[in-house]
Amino acid sequence: MTSIAANLQAVRARIAAACVAAGRPAESVRLLAVSKTWPVTSVREAVAAGQRAFGENYVQEAIDKAAELAGLGLEWHFIGPLQSNKTRLVAENFAWVHSVDRLKIAERLAAQRPAGLAPLQVCIQVNVSGEASKSGCAPEQAATLVHAVATLPRLCLRGLMAIPEPGEDSRLQRGRFALLRQLHDQFNAEGIKLDTLSMGMSHDLEAAIMEGATLVRIGTAIFGERNYTT
Ligand SMILES: *Cc1c(COP(=O)(O)O)cnc(C)c1O
């Protein structure tokens, strides 16, 4: 029998094993449970099993869930593509945004983050897969964007995020993650204090942790295969 609680335990064990293999402390990797398309009942099961941080891609779906689950002390992360007309809702309803890929979006989030809330925690999404992916800024543009976002009020720039193209070639995957890590190290050397590498999903969390991931975003391995038709 599989349950969300059992799946969560298995994912935590994978993270712990990958940390051992990488020679890193187990607490150095945070688990973000990606609950997009799953109902509030599924989120509640994960909460009962000790999970607190959840990732969502669709703004309205996430806001509806967060409202139903208000009072449980959950932390909501926006991880999907972000259009200008949705920035206000994101600025008002999330603790984190992982998918900032252009300055205009960051400026809108900064202007729209309510004064009564803690600064919005932000990652810059970088396209580490070239032509194979269209979301994220190009690696060559990341420095300019990172330096500009670091100066914006109401935002706290935490790090970088990437979604490498899916594939079986684990050496290629490692190379993509390594590129994100090199950028992270470069920006830290330039004086931009970053502490977050948001990389690794259900199929590649081990490769991501080997390359320094500090936060993995896991959906399928916790909740099961998503059905987008319903
Ligand atoms: C859906 C999604 C995930 C989770 O992917 P799984 O393969 O289901 O673990 C992680 N990150 C982002 C940005 C996503 O959109």
Side-chain angles (χ1 to χ4, degrees), residues 34 36 57 79 161 163 201-203 217-221 226 228:
V34 177
K36 65 182 178 213
N57 292 50
I79 62 174
M161 183 274 243
I163 314 172
M201 303 179 12
S202 291
H203 64 284
R217 309 177 310 269
I218 310 298
T220 309
R226 287 179 291 276
Y228 287 98

Side-chain angles (χ1 to χ4, degrees), residues 12-214:
R12 290 188 192 120
R14 280 177 65 191
I15 292 171
C19 283
V20 169
R24 301 177 51 194
E27 327 75 78
S28 63
V29 179
R30 274 191 89 189
L31 171 58
L32 183 68
V34 177
S35 48
K36 65 182 178 213
T37 78
W38 294 101
V40 159
T41 50
S42 300
V43 178
R44 280 191 196 282
E45 279 185 61
V47 172
Q51 182 64 28
R52 287 286 172 276
F54 292 89
E56 291 276 343
N57 292 50
Y58 310 106
V59 177
Q60 198 55 52
E61 177 191 337
I63 290 173
D64 293 346
K65 281 184 211 173
E68 269 196 74
L69 297 165
L72 295 180
L74 305 185
E75 186 178 273
W76 294 94
H77 294 226
F78 188 78
I79 62 174
L82 183 48
Q83 264 78 51
S84 313
N85 62 355
K86 293 281 168 58
T87 54
R88 181 175 296 280
L89 284 172
V90 169
E92 290 175 352
N93 289 282
F94 288 82
W96 282 69
V97 182
H98 293 232
S99 44
V100 171
D101 63 359
R102 52 198 194 278
L103 186 57
K104 180 185 170 195
I105 293 289
E107 287 171 342
R108 290 177 66 93
L109 291 169
Q112 294 166 343
R113 180 65 167 178
L117 297 182
L120 186 60
Q121 311 295 300
V122 167
C123 291
I124 302 298
Q125 184 176 352
V126 181
N127 175 2
V128 293
S129 300
E131 309 246 302
S133 164
K134 37 190 194 351
S135 43
C137 73
E140 312 81 63
Q141 294 162 353
T144 307
L145 184 56
V146 159
H147 283 268
V149 171
T151 68
L152 293 174
R154 311 295 308 134
L155 305 184
C156 178
L157 179 61
R158 297 294 296 272
L160 306 177
M161 183 274 243
I163 314 172
E165 77 276 33
E168 298 300 311
D169 184 343
S170 69
R171 238 180 334 153
L172 184 70
Q173 296 292 111
R174 292 266 308 253
R176 305 300 197 205
F177 292 134
L179 171 58
L180 198 71
R181 194 226 176 103
Q182 284 156 19
L183 289 169
H184 171 273
D185 294 349
Q186 176 196 323
F187 302 146
N188 270 312
E190 292 169 3
I192 307 283
K193 288 287 159 253
L194 304 180
D195 65 7
T196 300
L197 272 172
S198 169
M199 58 189 197
M201 303 179 12
S202 291
H203 64 284
D204 59 11
L205 73 87
E206 285 84 3
I209 289 172
M210 288 307 288
E211 295 299 341
T214 65

